[in-house]
Amino acid sequence: MQTDGAAAGKKAPEQVRNTLYVFDYDGITVAHLGDLRQVPSQTEVEALGTVNVALVPVGGGGGLNASKAAEVVSLLEPNIVVPMHYATSEVKVTLDSLGKFLKEMGLGKQETQPSLKISRSGLPDETRVIVLDYQREP
């Protein structure tokens, strides 16, 4: 008896595609991981090269959950991580809280910042999580 859909003549379900963006600003590499759903292979990580700033989905839903996001951070070893796609009072879809990701990263509550300015000389040696304020001023 065959239970594999492909072996039974059916097409295997198409894997969900994701687009990620990598920018270089005067020697600072920024990677926006989009709705990444799975931990990339070592080959894929190496293809990205050095990532200084990583914007990482952390709340599950259509992207990485907290534990997978923390695993991706440990693989990329960026200087700065900006978490995205997590539950807030403004979000209408079901996502996990930022706190789950921070716990996975071994961190407590983080203060939010309205913006982030980075210089090559100002990059931290150890990976640092920066939480940006998502609320707009009225």
Side-chain angles (χ1 to χ4, degrees), residues 10-58:
K10 296 178 184 173
K11 275 185 149 180
E14 190 174 318
Q15 202 171 29
V16 176
R17 295 181 64 115
N18 178 54
T19 301
L20 60 91
Y21 296 92
V22 179
F23 306 93
D24 184 280
Y25 295 105
D26 291 328
I28 296 175
T29 303
V30 178
H32 185 294
L33 301 183
D35 283 333
L36 186 66
R37 292 176 183 227
Q38 62 190 29
V39 176
S41 68
Q42 189 63 40
T43 303
E44 292 168 326
V45 169
E46 289 170 6
L48 282 175
T50 299
V51 174
N52 302 114
V53 181
L55 287 83
V56 182
V58 302

Side-chain angles (χ1 to χ4, degrees), residues 54 57 65 83 87 94 109-110 118 131 137:
N65 64 27
T94 303
K109 185 172 176 5
Q110 300 287 299
I118 302 169
V131 179
E137 294 294 321

Side-chain angles (χ1 to χ4, degrees), residues 1-131:
M1 177 176 185
Q2 294 181 354
T3 57
D4 181 300
K10 296 178 184 173
K11 275 185 149 180
E14 190 174 318
Q15 202 171 29
V16 176
R17 295 181 64 115
N18 178 54
T19 301
L20 60 91
Y21 296 92
V22 179
F23 306 93
D24 184 280
Y25 295 105
D26 291 328
I28 296 175
T29 303
V30 178
H32 185 294
L33 301 183
D35 283 333
L36 186 66
R37 292 176 183 227
Q38 62 190 29
V39 176
S41 68
Q42 189 63 40
T43 303
E44 292 168 326
V45 169
E46 289 170 6
L48 282 175
T50 299
V51 174
N52 302 114
V53 181
L55 287 83
V56 182
V58 302
L64 297 169
N65 64 27
S67 63
K68 286 183 179 179
E71 187 177 345
V72 168
V73 170
S74 71
L75 288 171
L76 293 178
E77 298 180 330
N79 303 89
I80 295 174
V81 175
V82 178
M84 60 180 191
H85 301 182
Y86 54 85
T88 70
S89 60
E90 306 294 320
V91 172
K92 305 296 186 235
V93 295
T94 303
L95 295 171
D96 291 334
S97 71
L98 175 62
K100 279 190 172 184
F101 171 69
L102 295 175
K103 185 175 179 181
E104 287 287 337
M105 292 294 295
L107 301 170
K109 185 172 176 5
Q110 300 287 299
E111 293 298 318
T112 62
Q113 297 181 199
S115 63
L116 176 61
K117 291 184 182 183
I118 302 169
S119 66
R120 188 90 189 117
S121 62
L123 289 171
D125 293 330
E126 297 289 320
T127 298
R128 185 170 164 214
V129 175
I130 304 288
V131 179

